[in-house]
Amino acid sequence: MISFRLISIFFLILFLQSCETESISESSKNLENTNNTKVSIASSTESKGTSNVKTNSTSTSNKNINIDPSQIDMILLEELVHEEINKVRISNNLQQLKKHATLKKAAEDQNNYAVRLGKLTHQQINKGKEQLNQRIQFYGGGFQNMAENLLYEGFIVRTTNGSRKEIIAPTYEKMAHKMVESWLNSPGHRINIMNPIYDQVGTAIGYNSDLSAVFSAQVFGKTF
């Protein structure tokens, strides 16, 4: 995990950024404990706490609008992250990654879990979903190679007079670019993004209001 904390005379700016990567056929990592947090997640079937998610985007025409943390368009941000990943692959003479429903469900499942936990992990305590390969199998399977990139990207939080809180968020386009750049600047994440084996991907976005941070998961796969 990566954390940055900047303090000035006039106000405190909190910036959180973290990422994890995993590429597996089989995995045997330890589990981490959960706790309760206020969250917003993309999955309508697993929503918990206060919901402030817009999920009706059909295009990226609003990509230059600044993100409103109280009403994040998760689908728009997901689409822009997907586009950014494919831009990178195309520029490196790699095939574009196609969206796959099974990988999308696996990504949403783990991302929602991480949002509730308040930190990144590739494992779960939920039976049958403990590891990446198990989650993919749970939602249908059909992949011989798989990998998972996780990340949380915090908004700038400015406090004045010790109590007033202002969240400063970028546009959707800038946020998506920043998220993908964070992955690309990490060798393990970059390997997953640039791996020519993978031809399918699923992307998920969520928001943890306690951390003022956007969480994201991308699951990559190669079908049999």
Side-chain angles (χ1 to χ4, degrees):
M1 292 187 178
I2 306 170
S3 294
F4 302 91
R5 190 175 298 273
L6 307 176
I7 302 176
S8 71
I9 297 174
F10 304 103
F11 52 79
L12 170 68
I13 296 178
L14 173 63
F15 174 77
L16 298 173
Q17 179 181 341
S18 179
C19 49
E20 287 195 358
T21 182
E22 183 172 46
S23 179
I24 67 168
S25 294
E26 296 292 337
S27 179
S28 58
K29 293 185 179 179
N30 295 326
L31 304 179
E32 296 189 55
N33 294 326
T34 61
N35 56 23
N36 293 321
T37 56
K38 298 176 183 178
V39 303
S40 298
I41 56 181
S43 172
S44 59
T45 60
E46 298 189 46
S47 182
K48 180 178 180 180
T50 302
S51 176
N52 55 6
V53 182
K54 290 173 64 179
T55 58
N56 58 354
S57 288
T58 56
S59 72
T60 58
S61 59
N62 293 327
K63 64 182 180 181
N64 292 317
I65 294 175
N66 282 78
I67 297 172
D68 177 358
S70 69
Q71 197 176 33
I72 300 176
D73 191 329
M74 303 295 187
I75 292 180
L76 173 58
L77 191 53
E78 285 175 12
E79 182 62 29
L80 291 171
V81 168
H82 179 79
E83 289 182 1
E84 284 287 329
I85 292 292
N86 274 334
K87 285 178 185 177
V88 172
R89 287 179 64 91
I90 291 171
S91 67
N92 286 274
N93 298 315
L94 297 170
Q95 64 177 325
Q96 295 187 59
L97 296 173
K98 298 178 181 178
K99 297 177 183 179
H100 196 285
T102 296
L103 301 182
K104 165 72 171 177
K105 290 176 182 177
E108 280 189 342
D109 196 307
Q110 190 62 20
N111 199 56
N112 293 345
Y113 185 87
V115 170
R116 290 192 178 97
L117 186 65
K119 63 179 180 179
L120 303 179
T121 176
H122 291 289
Q123 289 80 42
Q124 290 192 25
I125 62 172
N126 296 319
K127 188 175 181 179
K129 298 181 180 180
E130 291 90 344
Q131 309 294 341
L132 172 60
N133 57 320
Q134 291 174 293
R135 292 188 292 274
I136 291 177
Q137 186 62 36
F138 181 88
Y139 289 110
F143 293 87
Q144 57 180 321
N145 300 96
M146 62 206 77
E148 181 177 73
N149 281 354
L150 304 177
L151 170 144
Y152 75 76
E153 190 81 41
F155 296 134
I156 294 173
V157 179
R158 179 180 297 164
T159 58
T160 57
N161 299 324
S163 59
R164 185 179 178 184
K165 179 178 175 181
E166 179 186 5
I167 299 176
I168 303 172
T171 65
Y172 283 93
E173 184 176 43
K174 289 181 179 179
M175 188 65 174
H177 180 77
K178 189 175 184 181
M179 291 164 68
V180 173
E181 279 297 303
S182 294
W183 275 325
L184 291 173
N185 288 331
S186 170
H189 299 85
R190 185 180 183 88
I191 287 172
N192 287 342
I193 292 170
M194 304 291 287
N195 195 326
I197 292 176
Y198 301 128
D199 56 6
Q200 312 283 336
V201 70
T203 304
I205 300 290
Y207 182 68
N208 183 307
S209 60
D210 289 345
L211 298 175
S212 300
V214 170
F215 281 63
S216 183
Q218 277 203 316
V219 177
F220 306 86
K222 170 64 177 178
T223 54
F224 286 100

